[in-house]
Amino acid sequence: QVQLVESGGGLVQPGGSLRLSCVTSGSIFSIAPMSWYRQAPGKQRELVAFITRGGSTNYADSVKGRFTISRDNAKNTMYLQMNSLKPEDTAVYYCYADAKTFNGMTYWGKGTLVTISS
């Protein structure tokens, strides 16, 4: 059974930084593309950043230049470094793995809450 577990959320002042982590099952991490999504109250869940198994990345325009996605395949861990945080970044952040091309499955973590407030 594949499990994705996020951590690192919390309360940060505007302009501050935070790093999120997602620990995954070893059976899929080395082969599956991974993403960070977020969902704010009353809004649709949106893609924040994407990373392939080879390390190629893509970002939403709203976070480009401020957030950095990375992965350590040896540790089965994905990260999201968030800098220059704004109140509009407040959301529940979710880890996502797309294994459809391998076993037809997708996987979501339970989410971690990030709150940007003074």
Side-chain angles (χ1 to χ4, degrees):
Q1 182 70 23
V2 173
Q3 297 273 18
L4 310 181
V5 181
E6 304 97 333
S7 63
L11 176 63
V12 182
Q13 293 183 331
S17 297
L18 201 63
R19 189 175 79 161
L20 306 182
S21 298
C22 173
V23 180
T24 73
S25 299
S27 61
I28 67 161
F29 190 85
S30 65
I31 61 173
M34 303 285 292
S35 301
W36 286 102
Y37 282 77
R38 68 185 181 187
Q39 188 166 21
K43 296 185 178 180
Q44 295 183 21
R45 188 171 298 186
E46 64 175 345
L47 177 66
V48 176
F50 172 85
I51 186 167
T52 70
R53 62 182 180 180
S56 180
T57 61
N58 193 32
Y59 298 90
D61 289 341
S62 59
V63 307
K64 196 171 186 177
R66 300 188 297 120
F67 291 10
T68 302
I69 188 172
S70 62
R71 67 193 294 168
D72 187 337
N73 291 346
K75 296 181 179 180
N76 295 339
T77 303
M78 180 177 66
Y79 305 96
L80 185 67
Q81 178 66 47
M82 305 183 292
N83 299 326
S84 301
L85 285 162
K86 306 174 181 179
E88 63 205 63
D89 294 319
T90 295
V92 176
Y93 284 71
Y94 297 92
C95 181
Y96 173 79
D98 184 358
K100 281 192 170 185
T101 59
F102 305 103
N103 63 7
M105 301 292 292
T106 59
Y107 304 95
W108 290 97
K110 300 287 284 186
T112 185
L113 177 62
V114 173
T115 302
I116 313 303
S117 177
S118 59

